[in-house]
Amino acid sequence: MRLSPAVVIAPSRPSSGLFARLLSRDVRCAAPMVIYLLVFLITPIFQLLKMSFLPHGEWGLANYTRLFAAPVYLDVLAITFKTAAWTTLLAVIGGYPVAYLTTIASPRFKSSLLFWILLPFWTSFLVRTFAWIVLLGRNGVINQWLQAMGMTHAPANMLYNFGAVLVGMVHAMMPIAILTMMSVMANIDRTLPRAALTLGARPARAFWTVYFPLSLPGVAAAAIMVFVTALGFFITPALLGGPHETMITQLIIDQVLQTLNWGFAGAISLLLLVTVLIVFVLYDRFIGLSTLTGGEPTSAASGHRSNGLARRAGFAVLESLATLCDAIGAAFSRLLPRRRGSSGKHPALWAIAIVTLVFLIAPTLLMIPVSFTSASAIDWPPQGFSLQWYGVIAHAPTWGSAALRSLIIGIATGILSMLIGVPAAFLLVRSKVRWRALFFAFALLPMIVPRMILAVGLFYLLARLQLIGSIIGMVLGHTTVALPYVVVTMTAILKNYDVRLDAAAASLGANRWTTLRHVTFPILGAGFISSFLFAFVTSFDELTIALFVTSGLNSTLPKQFWDEVTLSVSPTIAAVSTCLFVFSALVIWCANRLRARGTA
Amino acid sequence: MSESQIKLEVRSLAKRYGKFVALAPTDLVVRQGEFLTLLGPSGSGKTTLLSLIAGLTTPDEGTIHIGGVDVTHGAPYERDIGMVFQNYALFPHMTIAQNIAFPLKIRKHDVAHAKRAVERVLDLVELPHVGDRFPRELSGGQQQRIALARCMVYEPSIILMDEPLGALDKKLRDQMQLEIKRIHRELDTTIVYVTHDQEEAMTMSDRICLMRGGKIEQLGTPADLYFRPRTTFVADFIGESNLLSGVASAVDGETIRLNWTDLPGSGVAMSNGVLINVGDALTVMIRPQNVNVGAHSAVAGSVNHLAAPLTDFIVTGGVSKYRLALPNRQTLVVAELTRGNTTARAPGENVGVSWDACDAVAIREA
């Protein structure tokens, strides 16, 4: 990559203008990503959607009449919506205090808080969902405790119902919600609530009338991220839910893997895609998509005099919340005499945040003792200590080869997505072209399109390319998924890089290579590696594409995990979970070390 | 000064962060209607003192009384203060009118009264038509005025300002200094102002509290600090100064005769009420504009005179400066008003300088 400004070609003749533009730096940076996404994202999706209109090899709407004729499909859509809505609500409300705390905590507390938020974020969805099976099962941890304490006599049915799905989904989505809200809250000027205090506002009023309205774009961004991800989610409802909790993506899997009805799978996909698009359009209409990338809410949406009524109503609600909280606060402070220097400690906030963090982390940690049991099945409390289940993993060829494949695919995906994503990020940061926003939106498409639709489309494409079951096929698919993460993280990293440093190095006599080696890379290197790690982990944890593209001896680790966990719930899986958990903790630790070095 | 005139009283107030002493035990009294500036370099404790007064930081020891009420451990909202922040801290999601009405709303003023009050302060800061706009639509200087207006609208008993003009360019800053002074006079409020800019402090303040390393170095009127600095730090920080060291050889009331430590000859300086004994090590401060330049023979009769080669002659604009290389390797700066008939002197030329005894301030070394 080149950091020096490109030579500006100023053609005088129109004929050379087109040629120059074709070779201009902008185009060279943009082309790899655009071409890649056209081939491995847009084409497969269009193929799939096209098939839905070709029910028997001819154009027709048979798939759609079937979709809307039977109430079952729309019912599933309704369940999907209900699940996603509840998940969003709970994840955002539960995550808000934690996100808020990270912005007011001291730097030392902040970095340990961040670790405990990132740990569940990086831990595989599969591992975390499996943990809930162990917790909520008939012989699970909670049932054993309830019986031991004499509160129940027979094990309660806590699995395979809506509550279990909701707990699992909220657990899965909350880290995304927290991280999204954090990024907006970090940009809120901390003197604003302080200014409100000096103007006479009590803390609760300062919070509800000043801080909270300013954090709403973050709440909105978190809500749509969680909602859209939840709409396309299948791991948790499949493992923790019963037939009544089936979500729409599970229907697509059934159509592809059980009945091999591609056309109908395409029809359901289109229904899901249209739903997601409507959600985004509504979001853009009322809040503004720019909030997703940390921008200001669009003026029309933020109530710029135009929809004053909704705004006033909102303010009135917040005012009354403020008054209520202040009344409660005042009552408490009358009961408890003010302690010296107690301001700024927020004990209640810490308590809530710690409960939330325990909810996020404890289930996964429980896997560790379970994996060392000497019993022949999962039991609580674990009996004895043995390494037998680790022995099972070590001796089974499937687990070892799956881990190796996942590792190779992850590294290859990381490299390929960096090669394509980094130039695109450079373009986004350096170039001032008008289609920048459009280009960025295009780069984010793989995040927005439900993963399942992409997976089914890719399955079809890779099958025609004879790449099913191959490592190359998986890498191609995973790169599509990992690209937006690389582009987003690299854009953020490059934005903070001062180009004048390169100019300074050049003015001191360094050539391009020495500049890169001694200035650019030492500063940006950590960022490059954490971006690479992001892509790697995305691939390492990817199940949806692997679900179709791999099988048997070609399985990746998540696929192998999925196949095992849908067959039986054994301590082997707890042992694998423990390994994966330790692995992700190591990755975060390395990334943290790198970041500390990068900013030092 | 009677009890009723005291607006703010700080006694033995101290703040430490671990081993770092942000503010050593400090006493300070501010009178009703006074404009007091906390001046000092960064890390001098001025901002710490201001946030302790505002209640945004809790003190380790000492007391704060505002209007006779002990507010040492009171929350900011219980102190009846107003504060203007360096970055203005206007609420970006509220219009200008809503920003200004915010403190009134909290104090449960009725809507009509609040509306009139907002209009009144907008007139006062000479921005009557911006009520419906949002802060981001205003320039930096305008936002500064709004921050001031929001602070004055509820007539707090004391207004605290934390480097409020720090983000403005020079011209706008000069204009806003006069503006704030005008408003201060018109409303007769009490203002505690923080800045690191000594010119700003001189321009605006009734009294200046010069701070250094978490302690008050000197507290007094701008003239006190300028003409009668108690320490070399004050002499150096406020305005330009030449500092020469010597030892007192004779004391006659205010008049001190001394021998230069590392320069030939002797001189006469004034003690300004500080007790000085024969044999004390002194630093003598002479302002550049109080030094006369002339031919050798012309200055020889003065009580204070030196001869040295000229190293630089610079016309900076309204003022011309001479720089002389003294025998002890110090540089002596001389300033005089630039006139058409100012004779250009060449570097290397040997010149004589002299100054009056009343322009030489003797500072006793601590």
Side-chain angles (χ1 to χ4, degrees):
Chain A
M1 61 248 30
R2 301 211 331 238
L3 287 161
S4 59
V7 178
V8 179
I9 304 166
S12 49
R13 284 167 302 160
S15 59
S16 70
L18 180 69
F19 182 69
R21 209 176 298 160
L22 277 177
L23 275 180
S24 85
R25 192 187 59 150
D26 285 357
V27 171
R28 272 179 292 142
C29 284
M33 196 191 74
V34 172
I35 293 168
Y36 194 91
L37 289 186
L38 281 177
V39 175
F40 293 105
L41 178 77
I42 306 294
T43 313
I45 291 173
F46 270 97
Q47 280 288 344
L48 178 66
L49 299 183
K50 197 176 104 190
M51 273 189 288
S52 74
F53 292 103
L54 295 165
H56 308 289
E58 294 164 35
W59 290 96
L61 291 172
N63 284 321
Y64 291 91
T65 49
R66 186 183 153 201
L67 187 63
F68 291 106
V72 57
Y73 300 109
L74 288 178
D75 283 351
V76 168
L77 186 65
I79 291 169
T80 307
F81 249 93
K82 186 178 87 171
T83 315
W86 276 107
T87 304
T88 307
L89 188 72
L90 295 176
V92 169
I93 292 177
Y96 193 94
V98 181
Y100 177 60
L101 204 56
T102 59
T103 63
I104 60 169
S106 66
R108 201 168 54 91
F109 268 120
K110 187 183 169 167
S111 68
S112 57
L113 258 177
L114 253 179
F115 179 83
W116 293 112
I117 296 164
L118 286 174
L119 191 59
F121 179 74
W122 286 122
T123 307
S124 166
F125 282 136
L126 282 163
V127 170
R128 291 195 280 149
T129 307
F130 174 70
W132 285 105
I133 298 180
V134 175
L135 265 171
L136 299 175
R138 284 185 72 80
N139 296 315
V141 177
I142 292 178
N143 264 323
Q144 297 289 344
W145 265 336
L146 288 177
Q147 284 174 40
M149 294 196 314
M151 289 170 78
T152 55
H153 298 289
N157 279 321
M158 287 184 285
L159 265 184
Y160 313 122
N161 55 39
F162 185 66
V165 172
L166 202 55
V167 167
M169 294 276 282
V170 171
H171 186 247
M173 302 293 169
M174 203 187 271
I176 301 175
I178 294 174
L179 291 172
T180 314
M181 286 188 280
M182 260 173 61
S183 65
V184 171
M185 288 178 181
N187 291 327
I188 297 176
D189 182 353
R190 280 181 61 188
T191 55
L192 293 175
R194 285 155 67 97
L197 291 183
T198 66
L199 291 168
R202 289 177 166 276
R205 182 182 284 266
F207 177 81
W208 289 110
T209 58
V210 175
Y211 191 91
F212 186 72
L214 291 173
S215 70
L216 276 181
V219 172
I224 193 167
M225 290 298 291
V226 171
F227 190 75
V228 168
T229 315
L231 279 183
F233 216 57
F234 71 95
I235 295 171
T236 311
L239 293 181
L240 301 180
H244 295 293
E245 284 78 48
T246 304
M247 286 179 56
I248 197 160
T249 36
Q250 289 167 274
L251 290 185
I252 301 176
I253 300 177
D254 283 349
Q255 290 305 320
V256 174
L257 293 183
Q258 313 288 324
T259 55
L260 301 177
N261 190 339
W262 290 87
F264 196 56
I268 304 172
S269 298
L270 185 62
L271 180 65
L272 177 59
L273 196 61
V274 168
T275 310
V276 169
L277 286 180
I278 289 173
V279 170
F280 269 104
V281 167
L282 288 177
Y283 182 88
D284 190 38
R285 176 72 191 75
F286 289 108
I287 293 150
L289 279 177
S290 62
T291 54
L292 286 180
T293 53
E296 292 252 321
T298 53
S299 58
S302 71
H304 203 269
R305 277 164 282 196
S306 51
N307 50 356
L309 187 66
R311 215 170 114 83
R312 276 208 299 279
F315 267 120
V317 170
L318 294 175
E319 287 282 341
S320 43
L321 264 173
T323 316
L324 184 70
C325 293
D326 275 328
I328 296 170
F332 263 106
S333 63
R334 233 167 283 147
L335 288 175
L336 310 163
R338 188 197 303 279
R339 277 176 299 131
R340 254 184 78 158
S342 66
S343 67
K345 293 281 190 290
H346 309 290
L349 191 61
W350 274 100
I352 294 171
I354 286 168
V355 168
T356 310
L357 287 176
V358 166
F359 164 75
L360 284 180
I361 297 149
T364 323
L365 287 180
L366 281 176
M367 288 306 95
I368 298 171
V370 168
S371 69
F372 290 106
T373 183
S374 58
S376 58
I378 283 183
D379 216 346
W380 189 265
Q383 292 156 14
F385 176 88
S386 99
L387 292 172
Q388 56 170 327
W389 302 108
Y390 290 89
V392 169
I393 306 173
H395 288 108
T398 45
W399 285 110
S401 74
L404 187 66
R405 282 177 78 81
S406 275
L407 209 61
I408 293 170
I409 292 170
I411 292 170
T413 301
I415 294 170
L416 184 59
S417 47
M418 290 293 280
L419 286 177
I420 300 170
V422 171
F426 264 98
L427 179 67
L428 280 168
V429 175
R430 296 290 153 78
S431 174
K432 290 183 178 60
V433 285
R434 249 177 302 144
W435 39 271
R436 219 187 133 257
L438 194 69
F439 184 65
F440 194 53
F442 186 66
L444 293 186
L445 263 188
M447 265 164 115
I448 294 165
V449 173
R451 182 84 54 93
M452 182 57 69
I453 300 174
L454 171 63
V456 176
L458 270 176
F459 182 23
Y460 190 77
L461 178 76
L462 294 176
R464 291 210 306 191
L465 296 173
Q466 312 262 315
L467 287 173
I468 295 297
S470 72
I471 286 182
I472 296 173
M474 284 304 294
V475 171
L476 290 175
H478 281 180
T479 300
T480 311
V481 174
L483 257 178
Y485 296 103
V486 169
V487 172
V488 169
T489 52
M490 282 312 297
T491 308
I493 290 158
L494 292 175
K495 231 181 229 164
N496 293 328
Y497 182 72
D498 189 348
V499 211
R500 287 171 300 182
L501 294 176
D502 286 337
S507 74
L508 294 168
N511 64 29
R512 188 169 290 161
W513 167 244
T514 31
T515 303
L516 201 64
R517 198 172 107 79
H518 292 290
V519 179
T520 318
F521 199 73
I523 296 172
L524 288 181
F528 274 74
I529 292 171
S530 51
S531 189
F532 170 85
L533 279 180
F534 217 135
F536 172 81
V537 172
T538 306
S539 157
F540 199 75
D541 189 26
E542 209 290 326
L543 172 64
T544 318
I545 295 173
L547 200 60
F548 301 112
V549 179
T550 70
S551 65
L553 284 173
N554 298 324
S555 287
T556 58
L557 203 50
K559 177 70 186 334
Q560 178 70 21
F561 196 110
W562 171 260
D563 287 344
E564 291 277 327
V565 86
T566 44
L567 277 180
S568 71
V569 178
S570 83
T572 322
I573 300 178
V576 176
S577 295
T578 306
C579 295
L580 283 173
F581 184 67
V582 170
F583 182 71
S584 38
L586 271 175
V587 170
I588 306 170
W589 185 77
C590 290
N592 264 347
R593 284 290 301 269
L594 279 169
R595 213 184 36 213
R597 230 186 54 191
T599 54
Chain B
M1 174 191 330
S2 78
E3 279 295 307
S4 63
Q5 285 179 307
I6 293 175
K7 190 89 246 175
L8 170 72
E9 188 174 7
V10 166
R11 289 280 165 237
S12 319
L13 199 66
K15 179 71 186 175
R16 281 173 288 273
Y17 294 100
K19 280 192 181 127
F20 174 70
V21 179
L23 187 70
T26 295
D27 298 315
L28 181 68
V29 171
V30 181
R31 288 186 302 273
Q32 162 62 39
E34 191 176 17
F35 194 119
L36 181 117
T37 297
L38 302 175
L39 174 68
S42 51
S44 60
K46 56 188 193 303
T47 302
T48 305
L49 180 52
L50 195 78
S51 23
L52 286 169
I53 297 169
L56 296 170
T57 310
T58 45
D60 292 327
E61 50 189 82
T63 59
I64 303 165
H65 287 76
I66 294 176
V69 181
D70 183 352
V71 296
T72 312
H73 297 290
Y77 50 85
E78 297 165 343
R79 295 189 177 204
D80 190 26
I81 51 162
M83 186 151 176
V84 179
F85 292 82
Q86 180 167 15
N87 64 353
Y88 322 133
L90 298 179
F91 305 130
H93 60 303
M94 299 182 190
T95 62
I96 297 305
Q98 284 171 332
N99 261 286
I100 298 175
F102 183 82
L104 300 177
K105 207 167 173 183
I106 287 163
R107 289 167 176 77
K108 301 202 165 55
H109 289 230
D110 71 83
V111 179
H113 171 260
K115 198 165 180 291
R116 279 197 307 277
V118 169
E119 281 166 9
R120 192 170 44 80
V121 289
L122 281 176
D123 280 339
L124 187 68
V125 297
E126 291 166 356
L127 288 170
H129 303 300
V130 300
D132 288 337
R133 294 200 215 156
F134 280 88
R136 62 175 171 274
E137 297 169 305
L138 266 52
S139 72
Q142 288 174 325
Q143 290 188 31
Q144 177 57 60
R145 284 160 194 254
I146 298 306
L148 212 57
R150 184 177 67 176
C151 196
M152 291 176 316
V153 70
Y154 60 101
E155 292 164 12
S157 67
I158 185 163
I159 294 179
L160 311 172
M161 299 192 179
D162 185 9
E163 308 226 10
L165 307 181
L168 303 181
D169 62 54
K170 176 98 178 77
K171 219 166 193 161
L172 204 52
R173 203 160 60 216
D174 293 346
Q175 191 190 332
M176 282 304 295
Q177 286 172 3
L178 298 176
E179 193 87 343
I180 292 173
K181 274 214 70 130
R182 172 180 70 80
I183 291 165
H184 172 240
R185 261 198 317 273
E186 279 176 28
L187 297 183
D188 191 30
T189 63
T190 310
I191 295 181
V192 177
Y193 191 99
V194 163
T195 183
H196 63 267
D197 180 342
Q198 49 106 1
E199 264 181 61
E200 190 167 295
M202 299 285 284
T203 309
M204 305 181 73
S205 321
D206 294 326
R207 282 194 302 157
I208 296 173
C209 174
L210 180 57
M211 302 190 65
R212 178 197 190 190
K215 288 184 190 140
I216 295 179
E217 187 83 0
Q218 189 172 348
L219 176 62
T221 62
D224 279 337
L225 267 67
Y226 190 80
F227 293 113
R228 292 174 287 281
R230 292 276 181 251
T231 68
T232 52
F233 177 79
V234 178
D236 201 36
F237 198 87
I238 307 276
E240 226 179 334
S241 58
N242 295 299
L243 300 171
L244 304 177
S245 35
V247 176
S249 60
V251 178
D252 175 17
E254 296 268 285
T255 310
I256 315 291
R257 182 160 286 281
L258 51 88
N259 294 316
W260 301 122
T261 313
D262 44 13
L263 289 171
S266 62
V268 179
M270 307 304 288
S271 70
N272 289 320
V274 177
L275 184 68
I276 290 174
N277 296 313
V278 172
D280 281 351
L282 302 174
T283 300
V284 174
M285 180 202 76
I286 311 112
R287 297 289 180 192
Q289 71 274 22
N290 295 332
V291 183
N292 307 305
V293 179
H296 241 200
S297 51
V299 300
S302 174
V303 288
N304 293 300
H305 66 91
L306 289 168
L310 190 70
T311 54
D312 276 306
F313 172 69
I314 310 152
V315 180
T316 64
V319 172
S320 299
K321 287 187 176 174
Y322 302 88
R323 295 163 76 83
L324 275 66
L326 296 182
N328 64 353
R329 288 165 182 263
Q330 246 183 294
T331 299
L332 187 83
V333 182
V334 182
E336 62 182 31
L337 292 179
T338 309
R339 296 186 195 279
N341 58 2
T342 299
T343 43
R345 291 171 188 272
E349 186 183 340
N350 223 13
V351 295
V353 288
S354 68
W355 59 90
D356 293 342
C358 65
D359 291 325
V361 179
I363 300 164
R364 200 174 57 192
E365 297 287 346

